[in-house]
Amino acid sequence: MNHQEALTSYIAAFVSELVKNGVEDVVVSPGSRSTPMAMIMAEHPELRVHIHVDERSAAFFALGIAKASRKPAAILCTSGTAAANYFPAIVEAKVSRVPLIVLTADRPHELRDVGAPQAIDQIHLYGNHVKWFVEMAPPEHSAGMIRYARTVCARAAATAKNSPAGPVHLNFPFREPLIPHLERDDLFELTERTGEYVSIQPGELTLSNEQYEEIGKRISSFTNGMIICGPIETAQFSDAVIALAEKLQFPILADPLSQLRSGKHSGEYIIDTYDTILKNEKAKKALKPDVIIRFGAMPVSKPLTIFLKEHQDVYQYVVDGGGGFRDPGMVSSEMIYCQETEFCRSILPFIERENESLLLAKWQKINGVTRSHLGKINALDELSEGKLFYQLAKLLPSGATLFVGNSMPIRDLDTFFHFNDKSISVMANRGANGIDGVISTALGAGTIQQPLYLALGDLTFFHDLNGLIAAKQYGIDINILLINNNGGGIFSFLPQASHPKNFEQLFGTPLDLKFQYAVEMYGGHYDLITDWEHFSTVMNQNKEKSGLKVMEITTNREKNIREHRELWEDVTREISRLLEDEC
Amino acid sequence: MNHQEALTSYIAAFVSELVKNGVEDVVVSPGSRSTPMAMIMAEHPELRVHIHVDERSAAFFALGIAKASRKPAAILCTSGTAAANYFPAIVEAKVSRVPLIVLTADRPHELRDVGAPQAIDQIHLYGNHVKWFVEMAPPEHSAGMIRYARTVCARAAATAKNSPAGPVHLNFPFREPLIPHLERDDLFELTERTGEYVSIQPGELTLSNEQYEEIGKRISSFTNGMIICGPIETAQFSDAVIALAEKLQFPILADPLSQLRSGKHSGEYIIDTYDTILKNEKAKKALKPDVIIRFGAMPVSKPLTIFLKEHQDVYQYVVDGGGGFRDPGMVSSEMIYCQETEFCRSILPFIERENESLLLAKWQKINGVTRSHLGKINALDELSEGKLFYQLAKLLPSGATLFVGNSMPIRDLDTFFHFNDKSISVMANRGANGIDGVISTALGAGTIQQPLYLALGDLTFFHDLNGLIAAKQYGIDINILLINNNGGGIFSFLPQASHPKNFEQLFGTPLDLKFQYAVEMYGGHYDLITDWEHFSTVMNQNKEKSGLKVMEITTNREKNIREHRELWEDVTREISRLLEDEC
């Protein structure tokens, strides 16, 4: 068996097993050393091969596919700095628990650390930021090594998927010549077995019946409880947690990424303005619970994080099916390692409400008042970042996916995007909250979910401009709401804003770019939004258009902060008045 | 002493020491966690603070500054994926031995691995790809901890500079509040000592007099030797190696990055067309030496690499002041760990030529013929990648810096850019040979060296499009020669080119972008070159213009490979004829 045949059989076995283990998409960045894997992947009839020249964007694109499909996506690149460009998306995948299979081609052992071109140390290249690293054996054709390629592949896919999901990294040393032998009928054949070579059944963390009973009873014994749902994407969780809230008569403070703010379920228990409410000290006192059950990652709301932290004396449950420790305030009383949907369903039979709670009604009332007062933003004539997110609940079509950038968009979404029954799926890169790779992640998600809307600021848009190439090359439909306040809007909300010296240079960082040029370069459709009527018209017209569509909304950072502060002051006065009336 | 004062004193001591240790430039990417360091840096009167929103480009920009200035440059970013974006440039800095001081802000210990926002594991974030990592102690004001901040800083700068130079990484945990107290006169004052707090004298590897004598005598005993200079930037090396070549009567095969192909020194010993010559098997036999002395990183030429590898029986010296092992062919006979300039000077007194060599004359003759035949490319009427590099030796002004992209530009430069007396400094990212970060590295170099020319292909241009923002924001003068063959030209030279199925999708990867839009977005001056006269006119006109200037030269990948092959076949026939005549 010669080199070429060994290379071909070994890699084909790997690629075949990849598909059998549920991988449907691979994002390939062009390169020489990765040639055998790339050429064999392109031959597989069931694998979608996406090409992306910029590895940083490529990895985020795959992240988006995996986030939206909840299936591991693979990425492949050549040796050298190409692989280092994957790092930001890998870090995000690890923290946000998204399954990613990272495949890097490498020089063979004899060409490492000897000054060979494009050779860098790729062993454990991503350190702790992947769940599993394997330095693959050089390709060999023996039955044993084919078995090895298949089982490592199956383990990689299973490890990526297993809770907490995350990235895995396999490094492949390839010797020249790199061209595989593709003129074979049996390229992906597995004769000795049917289905995948080895099937790995993923387990989930669960509790014993005794534990469920004990916890259920204990929770029932509290009087005033509340549920907090941070970013979470566990299947069927929404229904399960609403059923639990109903039985407990607890309000649910629902983060915009909890998937609870939109949907056909009842909105009765959903509290969607807590970020504003909890800016009011009186409200914090009035709304204090004696027990909190928290699900998902940490919510975006800083007032809520502070609220949690200030209430060490409240019994706080944190339920985490991924076995992490999501508690920056160090205030959890019980950390429960159990799949979240399973937890809600399994404690339900053990819930028996002993004491009637007034907390739900209080939250509902204050939430209602706050929601309607925040709605005043809709009366603004001028273009406004807050109003944009308020409008979205109305203007987005049901079934839409709304991807939001970090910094201000996710915060404005939190404040202004209120409960609606439209089944809008909300996504963001909230693992490490970076402003990088957002366009690519959204576009990756857009290959799975449509229609797709992306709302992001100008710095975030700029950071991943290269990501737009995927929209052009693959004709992916995307509606981008580019909120251009010419710089970093969030810093105006931070303490450095009161130190004007060097502020614009270090934090404001205006880019003064006409993004219309970029949109034209990528063959997109561009509109500079002039007013709200125009916005609504363009939103509607764009539904009929395909490909890349960018709506630019220009705002002003200083006016924006004033607008937010005035509204919050107004609302908080209203909340205080309401609470005084109650007393 | 409160938190704010401790934070301020500790960081100001660090920044003060940074400047005292020769750091003049820092590239800052905006962020919240890095606020204290950024604000204090902006206060230092002797530190140039460059702002760059995209951390990937920012790090390459700093790499370019450090490459050109041969002084460590610093980069600063906030916590999270921002820091991961630095990775490609750090990898390149390590392999290409460029001093870089990487400063990352981090969450304090209590906010790590507990789901806090923008918190990732930054300990040893870059693994083996930095020379030194320090997890800094949290800011404190005690005399001991101020001393600590200063000494770690001095060590970081020294470690980055010490041979082999490279990147170091310091990770700073910062607790809120993050605003330093800047209203102090003594911010950067060091009262107890003058100059830097601790001065670190860098040593260089050298040999004993006995070793120099032994090596000098041994080298003298060979009959037919040659010197090979790969990429090298050691100060005063050019003169030292030419003096050595003169005494030895050895030819110097000079890589385009050896800094020997241009300059006021004599070109008598410089062989600049070996890449073409060594494609000819007869020439390889006729030009075989009995000893080789090699300096610098591995040359770009593949025929030369093969030539070295095929000659295990030739006594091969490799001189490396950085103590590496740059020998992918595993053919070195002696690895000499000694600073290169020092080595050339110190063995010189011990060189006594015993036997007259014919090898120098042979190389000179064949080189002359090859050079003049390669010059035929200049007769082409059509736009051509090869001719472009041939023309550059004529069109570039003396004193220019020519930065070249990897893949084809550096190879075309190797083939067509011949010896000239113009003092042209040639630069490239030849550590890991990536196509990433090239625009930014060139722009960073452009803040130190002018006039600046950058020749690169369309994929490389695309990969770092964001890098152009620095040209716009800082008004850096740069002349970009954008060679647009709409895809990856180098793959046409590789074996996969004979497998047309999927070739364009996987390797050709045409982007079909009108880059003029990008140039306009960044406020640059754009010319689409129509013919050679136009090129020469625009090159001249642009000398009078400032800022970003892009000249786009469109070529065709298929025609390009034909053109190269035909010329090489022609030249190799000529070389064979010459060798037959000699016999």
Side-chain angles (χ1 to χ4, degrees):
Chain A
M1 186 64 62
N2 68 22
H3 168 85
Q4 192 189 28
E5 293 302 330
L7 181 70
T8 309
S9 303
Y10 181 88
I11 300 302
F14 181 87
V15 173
S16 154
E17 196 70 21
L18 203 60
V19 175
K20 286 175 192 291
N21 276 276
V23 176
E24 296 173 1
D25 294 272
V26 57
V27 185
V28 175
S29 297
S32 168
R33 193 56 50 170
S34 49
T35 294
M37 183 77 85
M39 288 181 77
I40 289 172
M41 283 174 159
E43 291 292 320
H44 201 297
E46 292 158 54
L47 198 57
R48 276 189 295 271
V49 176
H50 314 258
I51 304 291
H52 210 311
V53 167
D54 182 337
E55 296 85 5
R56 179 172 67 175
S57 298
F60 277 109
F61 187 75
L63 181 85
I65 295 174
K67 269 174 98 84
S69 67
R70 297 180 196 185
K71 289 176 189 161
I75 50 180
L76 170 68
C77 72
T78 190
S79 66
T81 48
N85 278 278
Y86 280 168
F87 203 19
I90 288 171
V91 168
E92 173 62 23
K94 178 82 183 309
V95 190
S96 61
R97 303 183 177 176
V98 177
L100 211 55
I101 301 174
V102 182
L103 309 172
T104 56
D106 198 356
R107 308 271 139 169
H109 300 70
E110 65 276 16
L111 290 180
R112 295 178 182 176
D113 198 18
V114 287
Q118 237 173 298
I120 68 165
D121 183 359
Q122 296 182 187
I123 307 296
H124 287 291
L125 186 64
Y126 311 113
N128 298 331
H129 300 273
V130 290
K131 290 177 67 184
W132 196 44
F133 168 76
V134 179
E135 161 70 1
M136 295 294 289
E140 271 186 51
H141 183 262
S142 67
M145 294 314 283
I146 297 295
R147 223 156 45 220
Y148 164 82
R150 286 196 179 266
T151 52
V152 171
C153 182
R155 288 180 65 188
T159 306
K161 277 183 289 189
N162 279 351
S163 190
V168 297
H169 175 207
L170 309 183
N171 189 53
F172 287 83
F174 288 135
R175 252 181 219 120
E176 293 182 22
L178 299 166
I179 307 294
H181 176 212
L182 300 177
E183 294 73 33
R184 278 167 48 174
D185 292 335
D186 62 343
L187 201 55
F188 301 108
E189 214 163 83
L190 171 62
T191 45
E192 57 275 43
R193 297 184 176 186
T194 54
E196 57 270 62
Y197 185 83
V198 51
S199 158
I200 298 177
Q201 298 292 341
E204 291 276 11
L205 292 171
T206 185
L207 305 181
S208 69
N209 234 27
E210 291 68 37
Q211 286 172 300
Y212 286 126
E213 182 173 0
E214 192 197 313
I215 295 167
K217 284 188 173 163
R218 171 120 202 217
I219 289 174
S220 304
S221 74
F222 289 98
T223 308
N224 294 314
M226 64 190 219
I227 294 171
I228 298 176
C229 293
I232 188 164
E233 285 173 8
T234 310
Q236 299 172 302
F237 172 72
S238 297
D239 289 340
V241 76
I242 287 172
L244 180 64
E246 205 168 359
K247 184 103 181 240
L248 283 165
Q249 290 293 301
F250 284 5
I252 302 176
L253 278 62
D255 184 84
L257 295 169
S258 66
Q259 312 308 332
L260 286 162
R261 285 213 196 164
S262 299
K264 296 293 169 204
H265 54 264
S266 147
E268 196 183 340
Y269 300 92
I270 304 300
I271 305 298
D272 49 10
T273 64
Y274 55 86
D275 180 73
T276 303
I277 296 171
L278 296 176
K279 286 184 167 75
N280 181 307
E281 290 299 323
K282 282 182 197 156
K284 280 162 78 174
K285 269 190 203 125
L287 296 169
K288 184 177 169 179
D290 54 7
V291 65
I292 292 172
I293 313 171
R294 188 155 62 77
F295 299 93
M298 281 300 293
V300 69
S301 165
K302 192 154 186 175
L304 179 55
T305 303
I306 295 168
F307 183 74
L308 287 172
K309 199 169 165 181
E310 287 172 351
H311 291 146
Q312 271 193 68
D313 56 332
V314 172
Y315 203 85
Q316 300 195 23
Y317 290 95
V318 178
V319 184
D320 187 353
F325 207 94
R326 289 158 152 179
D327 178 24
M330 289 161 285
V331 284
S332 54
S333 318
E334 263 183 54
M335 187 63 72
I336 297 173
Y337 289 154
C338 179
Q339 203 268 5
E340 295 84 357
T341 305
E342 178 70 19
F343 176 83
C344 293
R345 289 176 182 163
S346 298
I347 63 162
L348 209 56
F350 303 110
I351 302 291
E352 279 175 42
R353 295 294 290 139
E354 291 162 15
N355 317 299
E356 208 189 334
S357 165
L358 295 172
L359 195 64
L360 172 63
K362 269 194 208 167
W363 268 107
Q364 285 167 328
K365 185 161 190 181
I366 296 182
N367 191 55
V369 168
T370 307
R371 205 192 271 177
S372 72
H373 270 81
L374 285 171
K376 285 184 185 170
I377 191 129
N378 209 29
L380 277 179
D381 278 336
E382 293 160 312
L383 292 179
S384 130
E385 303 184 16
K387 178 168 174 179
L388 177 72
F389 286 92
Y390 189 84
Q391 288 263 314
L392 282 182
K394 289 191 188 128
L395 293 175
L396 289 181
S398 190
T401 294
L402 173 61
F403 203 107
V404 284
N406 286 310
S407 282
M408 287 313 295
I410 185 79
R411 289 179 173 80
D412 278 328
L413 186 81
D414 199 3
T415 307
F416 297 107
F417 187 78
H418 301 151
F419 181 78
N420 60 77
D421 62 358
K422 276 189 173 171
S423 322
I424 290 163
S425 156
V426 182
M427 298 178 78
N429 279 343
R430 286 307 287 179
N433 310 348
I435 66 164
D436 45 350
V438 172
I439 290 176
S440 296
T441 315
L443 282 169
T447 66
I448 308 290
Q449 295 177 191
Q450 282 290 343
L452 172 69
Y453 290 79
L454 166 63
L456 81 182
D458 53 303
L459 293 189
T460 302
F461 187 72
F462 168 75
H463 210 291
D464 192 25
L465 259 186
N466 273 8
L468 290 176
I469 190 86
K472 174 179 171 293
Q473 296 209 294
Y474 293 100
I476 303 165
D477 296 332
I478 185 168
N479 300 279
I480 297 185
L481 306 168
L482 166 57
I483 303 157
N484 191 350
N485 55 25
N486 201 22
I490 198 168
F491 295 108
S492 302
F493 290 78
L494 298 180
Q496 45 264 61
S498 46
H499 298 259
K501 188 181 169 195
N502 302 325
F503 178 81
E504 276 299 290
Q505 184 206 3
L506 294 176
F507 304 106
T509 62
L511 299 180
D512 299 312
L513 291 178
K514 281 199 182 140
F515 290 113
Q516 180 171 1
Y517 288 119
V519 179
E520 279 171 13
M521 182 170 77
Y522 291 110
H525 185 86
Y526 171 89
D527 285 288
L528 179 66
I529 300 301
T530 51
D531 57 40
W532 292 109
E533 205 187 312
H534 184 220
F535 177 57
S536 149
T537 308
V538 173
M539 280 286 279
N540 272 318
Q541 282 171 349
N542 279 353
K543 285 177 192 160
E544 310 303 316
K545 294 197 177 82
S546 61
L548 169 65
K549 295 154 278 179
V550 176
M551 290 162 263
E552 182 167 353
I553 297 108
T554 52
T555 60
N556 175 286
R557 283 184 266 131
E558 284 183 25
K559 220 177 70 187
N560 183 50
I561 173 103
R562 267 204 315 278
E563 202 175 284
H564 277 79
R565 290 228 168 105
E566 281 167 16
L567 187 60
W568 281 327
E569 280 163 21
D570 178 42
V571 178
T572 209
R573 261 194 311 272
E574 210 51 48
I575 294 171
S576 295
R577 202 169 301 146
L578 178 74
L579 286 167
E580 279 158 23
D581 291 352
E582 301 274 300
C583 302
Chain B
M1 184 66 61
N2 69 20
H3 167 85
Q4 191 188 29
E5 292 302 332
L7 180 71
T8 308
S9 302
Y10 181 88
I11 300 302
F14 181 87
V15 172
S16 155
E17 197 70 21
L18 203 62
V19 175
K20 286 176 192 290
N21 275 276
V23 176
E24 296 173 0
D25 293 271
V26 58
V27 185
V28 174
S29 297
S32 168
R33 193 57 49 169
S34 49
T35 294
M37 183 77 86
M39 287 182 78
I40 289 172
M41 282 175 159
E43 291 292 320
H44 201 297
E46 291 158 54
L47 199 56
R48 275 189 296 270
V49 176
H50 314 258
I51 303 292
H52 211 311
V53 167
D54 182 337
E55 295 85 4
R56 179 172 69 175
S57 298
F60 277 109
F61 187 75
L63 181 86
I65 294 174
K67 268 175 99 84
S69 67
R70 297 179 196 186
K71 289 176 189 161
I75 49 180
L76 169 68
C77 72
T78 190
S79 65
T81 50
N85 277 278
Y86 280 167
F87 204 19
I90 288 171
V91 168
E92 173 62 23
K94 178 81 184 307
V95 191
S96 61
R97 303 182 177 177
V98 177
L100 211 56
I101 300 174
V102 183
L103 309 171
T104 54
D106 197 356
R107 307 270 138 170
H109 300 70
E110 66 275 17
L111 289 181
R112 294 177 181 176
D113 199 17
V114 288
Q118 237 174 296
I120 68 165
D121 182 0
Q122 296 182 189
I123 306 297
H124 287 291
L125 185 64
Y126 311 112
N128 298 330
H129 300 273
V130 290
K131 291 177 69 185
W132 196 45
F133 168 76
V134 179
E135 161 71 0
M136 296 294 289
E140 272 186 49
H141 184 263
S142 67
M145 294 313 284
I146 296 296
R147 224 159 41 222
Y148 164 81
R150 287 195 177 267
T151 53
V152 171
C153 181
R155 289 179 65 187
T159 306
K161 277 184 287 189
N162 279 352
S163 190
V168 298
H169 174 207
L170 310 183
N171 189 55
F172 288 82
F174 288 135
R175 253 183 217 117
E176 294 183 22
L178 299 165
I179 308 295
H181 176 212
L182 300 176
E183 294 73 32
R184 278 168 47 174
D185 291 336
D186 62 344
L187 199 56
F188 301 109
E189 214 163 84
L190 171 62
T191 44
E192 57 275 44
R193 297 184 175 185
T194 55
E196 57 271 61
Y197 183 83
V198 51
S199 158
I200 299 177
Q201 297 293 340
E204 290 276 11
L205 291 172
T206 186
L207 305 181
S208 69
N209 233 28
E210 291 68 37
Q211 285 172 302
Y212 285 127
E213 182 172 358
E214 192 197 313
I215 295 167
K217 283 188 173 165
R218 172 122 202 217
I219 289 174
S220 303
S221 74
F222 290 98
T223 308
N224 295 314
M226 64 190 220
I227 293 170
I228 296 176
C229 294
I232 187 164
E233 285 173 7
T234 310
Q236 298 172 303
F237 173 72
S238 296
D239 290 340
V241 76
I242 286 172
L244 180 64
E246 204 168 0
K247 185 105 181 240
L248 282 166
Q249 290 294 300
F250 284 4
I252 303 176
L253 277 60
D255 184 84
L257 295 169
S258 66
Q259 312 308 331
L260 287 161
R261 285 213 195 164
S262 298
K264 296 293 170 205
H265 55 265
S266 149
E268 197 181 340
Y269 299 93
I270 305 300
I271 306 297
D272 50 8
T273 64
Y274 56 85
D275 180 72
T276 303
I277 296 170
L278 296 176
K279 287 185 167 73
N280 181 307
E281 289 299 324
K282 283 181 197 157
K284 280 162 78 174
K285 269 190 204 123
L287 295 169
K288 182 179 171 179
D290 53 7
V291 65
I292 293 172
I293 313 171
R294 188 155 62 76
F295 299 92
M298 281 300 293
V300 69
S301 166
K302 193 155 187 177
L304 178 56
T305 304
I306 295 169
F307 183 74
L308 288 172
K309 199 169 166 181
E310 286 172 350
H311 291 146
Q312 270 195 66
D313 56 331
V314 172
Y315 204 84
Q316 300 195 24
Y317 291 95
V318 178
V319 184
D320 186 352
F325 207 93
R326 289 157 154 180
D327 179 22
M330 289 161 285
V331 285
S332 53
S333 316
E334 263 183 54
M335 188 61 75
I336 298 175
Y337 289 153
C338 180
Q339 202 267 7
E340 296 84 358
T341 304
E342 178 70 18
F343 176 81
C344 293
R345 288 176 181 163
S346 298
I347 63 161
L348 209 57
F350 302 110
I351 301 292
E352 278 175 41
R353 294 292 291 140
E354 290 162 14
N355 317 300
E356 209 189 332
S357 163
L358 296 172
L359 195 64
L360 173 63
K362 268 194 210 166
W363 267 106
Q364 285 168 329
K365 187 162 188 182
I366 296 182
N367 192 56
V369 168
T370 306
R371 204 191 273 178
S372 72
H373 270 79
L374 285 170
K376 284 183 185 170
I377 192 131
N378 208 29
L380 277 179
D381 279 337
E382 293 159 312
L383 292 179
S384 131
E385 302 185 16
K387 179 167 174 178
L388 176 72
F389 287 91
Y390 189 85
Q391 289 261 316
L392 282 183
K394 290 193 185 123
L395 293 175
L396 289 181
S398 190
T401 294
L402 173 60
F403 204 106
V404 284
N406 286 311
S407 281
M408 287 313 294
I410 184 80
R411 289 179 173 81
D412 278 328
L413 186 81
D414 199 3
T415 307
F416 297 107
F417 188 79
H418 301 150
F419 181 79
N420 61 77
D421 62 357
K422 276 188 171 171
S423 322
I424 290 163
S425 156
V426 182
M427 298 178 80
N429 279 344
R430 285 307 285 179
N433 310 348
I435 65 164
D436 45 349
V438 172
I439 291 176
S440 296
T441 316
L443 283 169
T447 65
I448 308 290
Q449 295 176 192
Q450 282 290 343
L452 172 68
Y453 291 79
L454 167 61
L456 80 180
D458 54 302
L459 293 190
T460 303
F461 186 73
F462 168 75
H463 210 291
D464 192 25
L465 260 185
N466 273 9
L468 290 175
I469 190 85
K472 175 178 172 292
Q473 295 209 294
Y474 292 100
I476 303 166
D477 295 333
I478 185 168
N479 299 279
I480 297 184
L481 306 168
L482 165 57
I483 304 157
N484 190 350
N485 55 25
N486 201 19
I490 197 168
F491 295 108
S492 303
F493 290 77
L494 298 180
Q496 45 263 61
S498 45
H499 297 259
K501 188 181 168 195
N502 302 325
F503 178 82
E504 277 298 291
Q505 184 207 2
L506 293 176
F507 304 106
T509 61
L511 299 181
D512 300 312
L513 291 178
K514 282 200 181 139
F515 290 113
Q516 181 172 1
Y517 287 119
V519 179
E520 280 171 12
M521 183 170 76
Y522 292 109
H525 185 87
Y526 171 89
D527 285 286
L528 179 67
I529 300 302
T530 52
D531 56 40
W532 291 109
E533 205 187 312
H534 184 220
F535 177 57
S536 148
T537 308
V538 173
M539 280 285 280
N540 272 318
Q541 283 172 348
N542 279 352
K543 286 177 192 160
E544 310 304 316
K545 295 197 177 82
S546 59
L548 169 65
K549 294 154 279 179
V550 176
M551 290 162 265
E552 181 167 354
I553 298 108
T554 53
T555 60
N556 174 287
R557 283 184 267 131
E558 284 184 23
K559 221 176 69 186
N560 184 49
I561 172 102
R562 268 205 313 279
E563 202 175 284
H564 277 78
R565 290 230 168 102
E566 282 167 15
L567 187 62
W568 280 328
E569 279 163 22
D570 178 42
V571 178
T572 209
R573 262 195 310 272
E574 211 49 50
I575 294 172
S576 295
R577 201 170 301 148
L578 178 75
L579 287 167
E580 278 157 25
D581 291 353
E582 302 273 301
C583 300

